[in-house]
Amino acid sequence: MSWLRALKGKGKDTQKQYAPPAGPPPGVDLASPPKWEPAPEQRHTLGLYAEATEDEFESAQQFCAAYPPERPRLLPSEAVERIDAVGCRAWQIELPRTPRFRGDIYNVASDQKGGGGADVVRVVTEAACQDVCLMSDLPILAGLYDVHGKLGVYYEVKVLRMDGLIAIGTTCRPYPAWRLPGWNRLSAGLHLDDLRKFFEDPDGGRDYTPLLTRVVPGDAVGLGYSFALGTMFFTHNGVRLPDAFTGVYLPRAAHDVYAAVGVEGACELEVNFGGDVFRWKEGNEWAWRVEGHVGTLTGGPSGAGDELPSYNEVRGTRIR
């Protein structure tokens, strides 16, 4: 139980700076979560540049019917201890076990920080890489953990090369690895080729915002989730864009939500969970960082059956 003692009191000094507001905004009733409604923007039936095959769509439907969403779980003690030791640098991107993925995933770490973990996770794919969804090994939203006064969570993707497609989003497990974020159950995504947003949308997505006209190498695109209303938004080169979805992943206690990055074709990108400085300045504040929420208990310990499997167990048993 050394990890519980180590976590006791963690973040108390900083939490005082980001205490929740005294009450809800004027005209907002927080007694019940807002109901999710389709976004008002124009919906497209076809993708702007490419379309997945009908067989892949049908296979994804069958996959979701056969494998229901996983229940929220507590993290194993080894994961909690790692978060306590290296903070946001504990989050990584899993290497998918599918031949559709052609490329490499590796950590980029600064020797000055020490302690292990990654400043950023670099993903490099080949031209032969097909549509695939890469997921974080740890959730960024964890249903069984309190928010501890935080405003939300945030992560960023820096585009280094995009001779294909990159998407930034979220999803719950299990998710069909051959489907991009936002196409299927409990998944959201912003696709950086056509700049359309998706939430459980297997068609052509919806227009997002005229403030985002193109994404080029060197740009950073971030995803934020606000706890208060279940609102998801995106950022571009440090500028917060309009809310993309409201009322998603509610009730929060019912979901463990993972970062999801979609790739296709020859691409290179860096995923930053907070190990390096975010382009969106507010994301660098404690109120938006993933550590201090995920892995921080307020109640007593749970049985081993409620823990997440270890990383090695996930690598060995993940459904392909």
Side-chain angles (χ1 to χ4, degrees):
M1 306 300 288
S2 60
W3 57 278
L4 284 176
R5 290 195 295 271
L7 286 173
K8 187 176 181 181
K10 180 177 175 62
K12 287 185 177 178
D13 293 337
T14 51
Q15 287 183 35
K16 294 178 182 177
Q17 302 175 29
Y18 303 101
V28 176
D29 179 16
L30 296 183
S32 58
K35 182 180 179 181
W36 180 86
E37 296 181 355
E41 295 84 3
Q42 180 182 354
R43 181 178 180 182
H44 302 275
T45 56
L46 297 175
L48 182 60
Y49 298 117
E51 280 286 304
T53 67
E54 188 68 21
D55 286 345
E56 290 175 353
F57 167 78
E58 293 293 341
S59 296
Q61 295 292 95
Q62 296 170 10
F63 177 96
C64 292
Y67 302 103
E70 295 178 356
R71 295 184 303 113
R73 301 177 181 178
L74 295 178
L75 271 64
S77 58
E78 63 186 43
V80 175
E81 290 172 353
R82 181 169 176 79
I83 294 171
D84 187 43
V86 300
C88 295
R89 302 173 78 210
W91 273 258
Q92 300 179 17
I93 294 292
E94 287 184 348
L95 183 67
R97 300 185 64 190
T98 170
R100 296 176 64 91
F101 179 76
R102 302 289 296 274
D104 293 300
I105 300 175
Y106 56 94
N107 296 332
V108 179
S110 169
D111 294 336
Q112 287 85 357
K113 295 182 181 180
D119 292 357
V120 296
V121 181
R122 182 165 293 175
V123 179
V124 181
T125 60
E126 303 171 6
C129 182
Q130 298 175 277
D131 291 348
V132 65
C133 182
L134 310 176
M135 298 175 61
S136 59
D137 58 343
L138 299 174
I140 59 173
L141 297 169
L144 298 186
Y145 293 93
D146 192 74
V147 300
H148 300 282
K150 284 180 172 287
L151 299 179
V153 293
Y154 180 78
Y155 82 98
E156 275 184 357
V157 167
K158 181 178 180 180
V159 177
L160 302 177
R161 178 187 181 188
M162 188 168 64
D163 293 336
L165 182 151
I166 297 173
I168 177 174
T170 54
T171 191
C172 296
R173 293 181 186 271
Y175 188 77
W178 61 96
R179 300 287 285 174
L180 295 175
W183 280 355
N184 289 93
R185 176 189 63 200
L186 294 174
S187 182
L190 175 65
H191 294 197
L192 304 187
D193 60 340
D194 55 19
L195 305 177
R196 293 176 182 173
K197 62 179 183 178
F198 296 74
F199 184 84
E200 297 184 340
D201 184 348
D203 297 319
R206 294 178 182 269
D207 293 336
Y208 178 29
T209 172
L211 299 177
L212 182 63
T213 58
R214 63 186 302 211
V215 173
V216 298
D219 285 0
V221 179
L223 182 152
Y225 179 89
S226 174
F227 292 129
L229 297 175
T231 300
M232 183 176 295
F233 61 90
F234 298 95
T235 68
H236 180 234
N237 290 338
V239 177
R240 177 168 173 168
L241 300 173
D243 294 342
F245 307 104
T246 298
V248 295
Y249 300 123
L250 294 176
R252 189 185 60 78
H255 304 92
D256 277 348
V257 184
Y258 297 77
V261 177
V263 289
E264 181 272 330
C267 298
E268 185 173 355
L269 59 106
E270 292 179 345
V271 185
N272 180 12
F273 292 107
D276 200 1
V277 177
F278 288 130
R279 197 79 65 89
W280 184 53
K281 293 182 178 179
E282 289 184 45
N284 297 301
E285 300 176 357
W286 177 87
W288 290 97
R289 296 174 69 82
V290 290
E291 91 266 25
H293 157 50
V294 180
T296 305
L297 286 171
T298 55
S302 180
D306 287 331
E307 292 188 344
L308 283 174
S310 69
Y311 181 73
N312 289 334
E313 289 173 331
V314 171
R315 291 287 303 276
T317 62
R318 179 65 56 205
I319 298 169
R320 285 182 278 179

